[in-house]
Each structure stands twice: as C-alpha cells, then as structure tokens.
C-alpha cells in the first residue's frame, strides 16, 4: 500500500478514465452553461437604491463564533494531491489549528485512487482466516496533510470495509454526473457482519491516532459515525445504525476516554429519525455496553438549499437551507440534555451534490455563491440566538476536484489551484472580530421572511458586525435568490460607539464582485483557456486573492461616530475594517 498514489497524475484503473473524458467535454456540453455566463451586471439605466446601515460598536451582543471554520468533501484522497494540499494550506491559514475537515470514505476498501464521490484507504482487510488486518498508511497520509497545514480532522467513522460488509458485492461504484445518484450505494453502505469487529476497528483507529499524534492533539478532534444514515447512505435499519454508532463510540472512548464523540450527521434535521436517535443517546440501552445512554459531546445534522432553473436563470433556495437549520435547532433545543451541547451543521450548502451537474447549478463559479454564503451564514447566527442553542460550526461541503477542467462547474472552493470567489468570503470571515455588535439595515430581509420564502422580491442588503480592541469590522452583502441583473445599492454606513472620540480611523475595504476577488471573470476575459499559460495562471492566482477597493485610507471620526458611503453591486460582498 505504500506505493499507492505516489504521483498526482495517477488515475483509477477503472472509472477514472471515463470520468476524465466526461469532464473534458463539460465546456462543450452541460458544463458549458456554468462557464459561459457572465456576472450579473445592472443595466446602465437602472437607478441605484439607497440603503442605510447602522452599527453600534459600543455594545456587544456576545461572542461572534467562527462557525465558518469547517470544511469537507466526499473524496478524501484529493487532499494529498498537489492542488489539494494547496487548498488545505489556504484553509489552514484562515485560522491556524482551529480549522476542521470532514471527509467520507476514510474506512472504504480500495487502493487510494480518487474518483467522483469515491475515495478509499484500505484501512481494514482480513486474512484468509478472517483475522483483521489494519493498515493506516493512507489514513495517516490524509491526516498528515491536514495537520501539517494547520487543519484538524473531523473524523467520520465510515464507510463499511468490504471484508466486513454483509453485502460486499458490488463494492466500488462507477458513478459519473450523468448517472442516477442512487448508483453510489454499493457494498460500503451496508451493516457489518460483526458489530464487535466494527467496534474494534474504531478502537484500533483511535488508539493508533493517539500513539501517532498524541493524546492532547486527538482530544481536539471530532469523532462521528457515518453520514446521513437516514437516507440511502445506510442500507440498514435505524436501530441497526444506532447499534453501529454505539459500538463505534465505545471503541473510540475505550482508546481515548476524553475523545469528543457525537453525531449523527443526518440528512436535513432528521425529524423523527433524529428524535429517535437522541432519545437512544439520552435514555436508551447502549448496544455495546448494556448501560443506559451513549456519550454525546456534540450534535450534528445537515442543511441544504434547493436551487432551480427558471426562465433562463438560476433561482436559489436559501429558504430551504435556513428552514432545515431552524428545525434542527428546534429539535436539539427540545431536549434539556442536548440544548447546551455544541452543534455542528455537518454539511451546510446551497444544494446537496458537489459533484453533480445541471443548469440549476450554474451559480457555483460566480458571485452568486459568495453572496449566498455571506447572507446565509449571518442567518445561522440569528437562528442559533433565537433557539438559544450552542452553534459551534457550519461545515461547507466543498473542496476541489483534481484533474478536471478549469472552472468545470463543480461545487468547489478552488479549481486547479485557483480559488473561486466564494473562498474569499471565508477570508473575510477570518478577519472579523471576537465580539458581535448590533448592526441593522433598512434593506435586510427579516429572519421570518427569509426562512419562509427566501429573497424573492426586493434584494437582501444586510450586515454582520464585530469588534476587537480599537477595531470594528462590518460584513455587508447584496443578495437575491434570482441570478439576474439588478441595480446597485448605495450604502450609507453609520458606525457609532467607536473608541476614538475625535480624529481619523484607518479604513480597509475588501470586496468580492464581478471585478474583484474573482478569477472566474478574469479567466473568461482570457477566452476561457483550457490550459492557461504560466503567465495566465499567475494572473489567475493574483485575481483569486481577496482584493481591496481603492479609496480613502482614513475616515473622519467625530464624537465616536463615522460615516462611510459606498456602492455595492448586486451579488457583491464587502468587508469594511476600521482601526484607530
């Protein structure tokens, strides 16, 4: 196994070639829809509309948690490819040693060659006598890639090794974006033949991790079982999943009694399935120990939007994602035992399949994705406050897809080492302060309306603000569910309660729009080259960085108050940083 994937150019012996041919045709097929569209621009005659935003830096509403520090992907092996390492490093720089990465297929049987919605590590096999054989070579390579770049594992205990599955054949799927989604559910999705062996696998993994990385390090990881066991990812019953989870948790805790364990990373809020799971965790008989209850240090569920293609354009479904979060928080808050527990929205995205294609997914390369992300993350904080729950993280299920065309239209954070506009939203988040401060906008859609119906009439121009000592930051966005042109917002931002009574404050204005922090626009301006030259690639890298707007470097402060005026185009996101 040590010789597997020694080159970033290696491909699967079966499946990957067909996949490569498929994605190579994207620019002249379905995927062309994703790369020929320009950024929505307001017609020249469209009048801008005024927006008034007020921020009180003299008050704190509590900590502004860095919920954005979580990322993940189906394909674990892409992490140690060249462009994967580059993106992991960029993620780690956002908040060194406080960023987490979750991946599927960490226990799946195979040679470690990646493909769409697939990955493998060969961590568990059996010899001719049925004796377990553990090999952590590939798992270690994945986790080493994270840890060396300031990222920690959010460990998913799954999927089922072939030697342990009750239905091992067929095992590796050959899925492409033209296939039915259900074709992925092969032998890895079934229960184990022996739950004791499954628990021992979890024990051996945790034990190995402590031996290799140290107790203090592994105590900081998250450990959860499986993925979305309330849909096709689990081919057993709900009770069998609870049994699977109990044995996994017992194994991890046997190796490390202080390990952080939880779950269940359900599809959506989980509804009654989630309630049954929590009831078992709190009051049920543990399948592995026979005792009452199962340790639960955090609760996790997923929330996805639902974009559609209507009248020749994409219409996002932000309300679907926010409604799922609202329901998930309501369920967790309904149990006194779980209400104070940290919550991680283990996949939190505009839709549910990063590797899928289709006209409704054209938003991915553009500023539609970045403005959606800014608007939706702000509401996650608001929903957590409403339910009084402890939101710890919201995990963006988007990474990168190696050996695919530039800007191929997948839900990704980068393409061939070039970060997409959406990644710069996370760079903005990383610059925000520790304490949240009040921010109001006369053009921000209220929470009840956006949860119920999204942004279907007037645009959503809102703000999220924070402070540190002698520093205030204001994130603003101009979002609409419909990917069509619209007028700019003329923003008047009034900041009050500044620590400076009189004088000047330093101003930085970061921007994501059609012309800033946007390598996709630059690539299209080059003629959408399939293989950019070295000079073009360097230009794309520069364009992918978080850009600052030209303008005054200082603003006047009088009586602790400053006013900043700027134009924010549709789908634009700004971060204003004021220091004194």
């Amino acid at each position: 196994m040590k010789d597997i994937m020694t080159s970033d150019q290696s491909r699967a012996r079966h499946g990957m070639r067909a996949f490569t041919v498929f994605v190579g045709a994207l620019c002249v097929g379905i995927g062309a829809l994703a790369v020929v569209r320009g950024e929505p621009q307001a017609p020249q005659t469209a009048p801008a509309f005024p927006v008034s935003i007020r921020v009180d830096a003299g008050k704190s509403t509590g900590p502004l948690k860095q919920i954005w520090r979580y990322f993940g992907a189906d394909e674990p092996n892409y992490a140690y490819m060249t462009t994967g390492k580059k993106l992991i490093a960029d993620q780690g720089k956002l908040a060194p040693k406080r960023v987490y990465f979750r991946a599927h297929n960490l226990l799946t049987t195979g040679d470690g060659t990646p493909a769409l919605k697939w990955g493998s590590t060969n961590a568990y096999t059996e010899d001719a006598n049925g004796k377990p054989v553990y090999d952590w070579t590939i798992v270690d390579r994945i986790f080493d890639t994270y840890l060396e770049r300031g990222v920690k594992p959010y460990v998913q205990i799954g999927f089922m090794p072939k030697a342990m599955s009750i239905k091992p054949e067929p095992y590796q799927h050959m899925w492409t974006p033209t296939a039915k989604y259900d074709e992925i559910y092969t032998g890895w999705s079934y229960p184990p033949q022996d739950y004791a062996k499954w628990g021992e696998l979890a024990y051996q993994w945790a034990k190995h991790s402590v031996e290799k990385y140290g107790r203090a390090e592994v105590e900081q990881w998250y450990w959860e079982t499986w993925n979305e066991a309330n849909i096709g990812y689990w081919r057993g019953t709900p009770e069998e999943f609870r049994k699977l989870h109990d044995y996994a948790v017992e194994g991890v805790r046997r190796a490390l009694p202080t390990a952080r364990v939880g779950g269940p990373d359900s599809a959506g809020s989980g509804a009654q399935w989630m309630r049954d799971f929590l009831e078992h965790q709190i009051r049920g008989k543990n399948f592995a120990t026979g005792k009452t209850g199962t340790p639960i240090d955090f609760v996790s569920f997923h929330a996805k939007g639902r974009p559609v293609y209507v009248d020749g354009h994409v219409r996002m479904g932000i309300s679907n994602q926010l409604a799922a979060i609202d329901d998930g928080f309501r369920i967790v808050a309904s149990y006194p035992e779980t209400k104070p527990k940290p919550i991680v929205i283990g996949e939190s995205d505009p839709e549910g399949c990063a590797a899928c294609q289709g006209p409704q997914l054209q938003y991915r390369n553009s500023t539609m994705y970045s403005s959606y992300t800014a608007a939706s993350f702000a509401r996650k904080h608001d929903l957590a406050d409403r339910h009084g729950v402890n939101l710890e993280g919201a995990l963006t299920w988007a990474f990168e897809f190696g050996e695919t065309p530039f800007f191929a239209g997948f839900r990704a954070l980068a393409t061939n080492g070039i970060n997409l506009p959406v990644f710069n939203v996370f760079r903005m988040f990383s610059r925000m302060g520790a304490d949240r401060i009040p921010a109001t906008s006369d053009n921000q859609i209220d929470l009840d309306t956006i949860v119920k119906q999204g942004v279907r009439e007037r645009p959503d121009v809102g703000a999220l603000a924070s402070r540190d000592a002698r520093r205030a930051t204001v994130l603003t966005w101009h979002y609409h569910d419909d990917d069509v042109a619209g007028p700019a917002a003329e923003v008047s931002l009034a900041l009050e309660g500044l620590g400076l009574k009189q004088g000047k404050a330093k101003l930085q204005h970061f921007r994501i729009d059609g012309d800033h922090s946007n390598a996709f626009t630059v690539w299209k301006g080059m003629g959408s080259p399939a293989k950019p030259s070295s000079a073009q690639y360097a230009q794309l890298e520069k364009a992918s960085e978080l850009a600052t707007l030209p303008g005054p470097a200082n603003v006047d402060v009088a009586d602790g108050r400053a006013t900043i005026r700027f134009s924010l185009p549709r789908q634009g996101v700004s971060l204003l940083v004021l220091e004194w």
Side-chain angles (χ1 to χ4, degrees):
M1 292 306 298
K2 293 182 180 180
D3 296 327
I4 296 301
M5 288 297 292
T6 56
S7 169
D8 287 337
Q9 301 304 314
S10 63
R11 306 185 192 279
R13 290 190 295 270
H14 46 281
M16 193 64 181
R17 286 196 179 93
F19 160 64
T20 303
V21 171
F22 173 82
V23 296
L26 286 174
C27 292
V28 293
I30 294 175
L33 293 170
V35 299
V36 299
R37 289 178 55 83
E39 301 294 333
Q41 298 294 328
Q44 293 293 322
T45 57
F49 59 94
V51 174
S52 177
I53 296 175
R54 291 186 173 275
V55 174
D56 188 348
K59 299 179 181 178
S60 172
T61 60
L64 179 63
K65 291 188 175 181
Q66 294 180 312
I67 64 172
W68 51 266
R69 298 173 292 118
Y70 298 75
F71 302 95
D74 291 65
E75 303 85 3
N77 308 99
Y78 283 144
Y80 52 72
M81 297 176 73
T82 300
T83 54
K85 290 178 179 178
K86 183 177 182 182
L87 180 53
I88 290 287
D90 283 345
Q91 291 171 332
K93 291 173 186 175
L94 297 172
K97 297 183 179 181
R98 290 181 291 121
V99 174
Y100 287 86
F101 200 95
R102 174 177 181 253
H104 296 340
N105 294 297
L106 291 176
L107 295 177
T108 306
T109 302
D111 65 6
T113 305
L116 286 184
K117 298 196 70 66
W118 178 259
S120 58
T121 65
N122 234 43
Y124 179 91
T125 56
E126 294 181 359
D127 64 17
N129 297 317
K131 181 180 179 181
V133 177
Y134 304 102
D135 185 345
W136 308 111
T137 304
I138 296 177
V139 172
D140 287 350
R141 188 177 182 186
I142 294 166
F143 285 5
D144 287 349
T145 300
Y146 300 165
L147 293 163
E148 290 166 4
R149 291 161 180 81
V151 175
K152 295 183 183 296
Y154 181 117
V155 185
Q156 181 187 122
I157 308 172
F159 294 121
M160 194 58 61
K162 186 174 183 178
M164 203 180 287
S165 174
I166 62 170
K167 188 179 178 183
E169 297 292 351
Y171 193 73
Q172 182 172 350
H173 62 72
M174 306 300 166
W175 187 87
T176 70
T178 60
K180 293 181 179 180
Y181 193 89
D182 283 359
E183 291 182 18
I184 70 170
Y185 302 133
T186 51
W188 56 264
S189 60
Y190 285 85
Q193 299 176 32
D194 187 327
Y195 283 89
K197 282 187 175 181
W198 169 258
E200 184 66 15
L201 172 58
Y203 165 76
Q204 292 292 340
W205 191 4
K207 177 175 176 287
H208 168 79
S209 298
V210 171
E211 291 170 349
K212 180 174 173 62
Y213 301 108
R215 180 190 185 101
E217 171 62 41
V218 180
E219 283 178 331
Q220 299 176 64
W221 301 0
Y222 294 82
W223 294 82
E224 60 90 9
T225 309
W226 221 256
N227 174 69
E228 298 183 343
N230 55 328
I231 61 172
Y233 279 89
W234 176 245
R235 293 310 207 190
T237 66
E239 183 179 49
E240 287 172 325
F241 171 71
R242 295 191 288 270
K243 184 176 182 179
L244 185 87
H245 179 74
D246 284 355
Y247 272 87
V249 168
E250 187 280 330
V252 171
R253 280 290 184 89
R254 180 156 42 99
L256 180 60
T258 52
R260 179 163 48 183
V261 295
D265 275 279
S266 59
S269 68
Q272 188 59 48
W273 186 94
M274 172 66 88
R275 290 188 178 278
D276 293 341
F277 175 84
L278 294 178
E279 285 282 353
H280 176 75
Q281 301 296 287
I282 297 166
R283 287 177 276 274
K285 182 179 179 181
N286 188 293
F287 286 98
T289 67
K291 298 178 181 179
T292 299
T294 305
I296 182 166
D297 299 314
F298 65 95
V299 182
S300 53
F301 63 89
H302 299 172
K304 307 284 185 173
R306 189 179 298 166
V308 295
Y309 193 73
V310 295
D311 300 327
H313 70 271
V314 175
R315 173 176 289 167
M316 303 297 282
I318 195 171
S319 63
N320 296 83
Q321 183 178 5
L322 297 177
I325 295 170
D326 190 35
D327 192 49
F329 288 169
R330 184 178 297 107
I331 292 171
V332 176
S334 69
Y335 294 90
E337 296 88 350
T338 60
K339 185 174 182 179
K341 301 285 186 182
I343 296 173
V344 178
I345 307 172
E347 293 181 24
S348 188
D349 307 290
E351 34 75 25
C353 178
C356 291
Q357 298 288 341
Q360 78 280 10
L361 305 177
Q362 294 174 25
Y363 75 88
R364 292 166 165 180
N365 288 322
S366 75
T367 53
M368 193 69 179
Y369 193 4
S370 45
S371 59
Y372 178 105
T373 299
S376 61
F377 267 78
R379 273 40 182 254
K380 295 168 191 176
H381 289 285
D382 294 338
L383 287 169
D385 290 344
R386 168 174 288 185
H387 290 281
V389 295
N390 181 12
L391 177 59
E392 184 69 24
L395 192 150
T396 297
W397 198 255
F399 186 51
E400 65 96 39
F401 293 83
E403 301 179 322
T404 61
F406 280 79
F407 302 97
F410 297 115
R411 190 176 74 239
L413 298 177
T415 175
N416 289 285
I418 303 297
N419 290 327
L420 299 179
V422 66
F423 188 77
N424 283 306
V425 178
F426 299 103
R427 285 175 166 150
M428 288 181 171
F429 287 150
S430 74
R431 286 168 165 78
M432 297 196 74
D435 291 321
R436 188 173 182 180
I437 54 180
T440 59
S441 167
D442 64 1
N443 215 89
Q444 182 165 325
I445 306 299
D446 69 88
L447 187 59
D448 288 331
T449 299
I450 198 170
V451 171
K452 184 177 180 180
Q453 63 188 48
V455 184
R456 299 301 171 86
E457 297 178 0
R458 64 182 175 89
D460 178 50
V461 184
L464 177 70
S466 63
R467 72 176 187 191
D468 291 313
R470 307 184 69 81
R471 180 174 175 270
T473 57
V474 184
L475 181 78
T476 63
W477 60 87
H478 183 172
Y479 172 75
H480 198 286
D481 277 344
D482 287 292
D483 187 11
V484 296
E490 292 298 331
V491 179
S492 175
L493 170 62
L495 294 101
E496 302 172 347
L498 300 176
L500 177 65
K501 185 70 175 176
Q502 200 85 15
K504 291 185 179 292
K506 178 183 176 183
L507 173 66
Q508 285 182 294
H509 189 164
F510 299 96
R511 169 62 64 79
I512 305 167
D513 60 25
D515 300 315
H516 301 89
S517 311
N518 194 329
F520 182 49
T521 299
V522 173
W523 178 74
K524 289 186 297 179
M526 295 173 175
S528 305
K531 295 182 178 180
S533 66
S534 296
Q536 288 175 322
Y537 191 89
Q539 186 179 353
L540 291 172
E541 281 191 304
K542 182 65 176 177
S544 74
E545 297 174 356
L546 181 59
T548 54
L549 285 184
N554 297 290
V555 296
D556 293 323
V557 179
D559 296 323
R561 189 177 190 275
T563 301
I564 304 169
R565 293 180 174 85
F566 58 95
S567 180
L568 186 62
R570 192 163 172 128
Q571 297 186 11
V573 183
S574 278
L575 176 70
L576 295 103
V577 180
L578 206 63
E579 297 179 90
W580 59 90

